[in-house]
Amino acid sequence: MIPNFHKGPLLVGCVWGLLTGITPFFQSIDPTARWTLGLGLGLSYASIGLLVAVLPDIGHGQGRGWFQGAVAGLLYSVPGAVFTMVPYPLRDDAPRYWHEFAAGGTRAFLLTLAFGAVVGATCGAARKRRF
């Protein structure tokens, strides 16, 4: 067993991964893209939970877990955020949300960082709880 391993963040990360990973299956996009995007999103957010679960504590006190998780999730999301800044083409019949997100730019970058931080914060908040 890994020392200082917390099961709570891993569980929360897997829930986030499941929730975000199934969303492409409700969209009218190419079936291959559904699997790729769904698996990518799911594993990304589940892996934030794993990262937060194995990180050592940075200190004691109220709120340290969620703050540490938010920082870890934000930093973990930087490569994906940079990737989302680059626009890529979509089919014309793709949902409006995907067109907006695929346009890239600063907004997509910031949203990716923010969502990574939210996932990390909720994972970090589960560090002290025993599931």
Side-chain angles (χ1 to χ4, degrees):
M1 192 68 168
I2 301 170
N4 297 324
F5 182 80
H6 300 272
K7 294 178 187 172
L10 181 59
L11 178 63
V12 172
C14 287
V15 169
W16 274 113
L18 178 66
L19 290 174
T20 57
I22 64 171
T23 57
F25 291 94
F26 297 104
Q27 304 293 327
S28 61
I29 57 177
D30 182 68
T32 305
R34 282 186 193 138
W35 282 103
T36 304
L37 186 58
L39 189 61
L41 284 171
L43 290 176
S44 291
Y45 295 122
S47 61
I48 288 176
L50 178 63
L51 176 66
V52 173
V54 299
L55 284 175
D57 291 328
I58 57 170
H60 302 288
Q62 192 75 8
R64 294 278 183 166
W66 72 265
F67 180 74
Q68 179 178 350
V71 171
L74 183 129
L75 292 175
Y76 186 85
S77 298
V78 168
V82 170
F83 177 73
T84 61
M85 288 183 71
V86 179
Y88 53 92
L90 285 178
R91 294 184 349 200
D92 291 336
D93 63 343
R96 184 174 162 201
Y97 167 78
W98 294 110
H99 278 285
E100 180 180 334
F101 194 75
T106 305
R107 184 168 186 246
F109 177 80
L110 293 175
L111 285 173
T112 303
L113 290 180
F115 198 69
V118 167
V119 171
T122 56
C123 291
R127 282 179 69 95
K128 300 298 179 196
R129 297 191 179 113
R130 301 289 178 212
F131 291 112

